[in-house]
Amino acid sequence: MKLDGPLVSTDWLAQHLADPRLRLFDATIFLRHKPEGGYLPDSGRAQWQVEHIPGAGFLDVYQELSDTTREVSFMMPAPRDFAARMAALSHPPCARQLERATAPRHVGRQGRDA
C-alpha cells in the first residue's frame, strides 16, 4: 500500500493527544552506510530523547519489533511475539496507535477502532 501523505493531520493529532486510548510512538531508525558496503541500523532513540511529541513513546523497530533470529533485517515477528512485545509496552489491545518515523521509509498503523 502506498501512502501519499500522513495517516492523520497535525490538527487531528492535536485534538486527540489527550485521548487515553491513543498511543503515539516514534519509530525512527537511521540506516548508516558502512564503508565496506551495506548499512548499519541506528536507532532514533537518542533523537527522541532530545525532543518528541508530548506523550509519545519510542519503539526500536530493529531491536523491539523485528525478528532478530532471521538473517534478513527488519522481518516482522510472529503475530504472537508481536502481541507480547506490544503488551510489554502496556499497549491496550483496543487502543488507537500511531507510529511516526522521520526516516525516508516508515510504517504506521492505526488500531482497529481508529
Side-chain angles (χ1 to χ4, degrees):
M1 175 172 81
K2 181 179 180 216
L3 298 176
D4 293 326
L7 293 175
V8 299
S9 69
T10 53
D11 289 338
W12 184 95
L13 184 58
Q15 293 170 8
H16 291 86
L17 272 179
D19 184 341
R21 298 174 303 148
L22 178 69
R23 290 296 312 264
L24 181 64
F25 294 101
D26 186 326
T28 298
I29 190 161
F30 301 99
L31 300 178
R32 310 284 186 203
H33 291 280
K34 296 192 292 188
E36 66 275 11
Y39 61 88
L40 179 66
D42 183 15
S43 170
R45 187 179 301 272
Q47 178 182 329
W48 171 82
Q49 288 173 328
V50 172
E51 64 179 354
H52 58 269
I53 296 171
F58 186 82
L59 290 177
D60 188 325
V61 173
Y62 187 62
Q63 295 295 321
E64 296 174 335
L65 294 182
S66 295
D67 183 347
T68 56
T69 65
R70 302 252 181 117
E71 289 183 33
V72 178
S73 298
F74 304 107
M75 297 301 292
M76 210 44 198
R80 180 174 286 170
D81 293 337
F82 180 81
R85 292 172 191 183
M86 294 306 287
L89 295 166
S90 300
H91 180 68
C94 63
R96 295 176 175 180
Q97 171 186 326
L98 292 176
E99 294 175 15
R100 171 190 175 271
T102 55
R105 292 179 178 241
H106 66 277
V107 177
R109 76 174 52 90
Q110 244 181 321
R112 51 179 185 246
D113 75 333

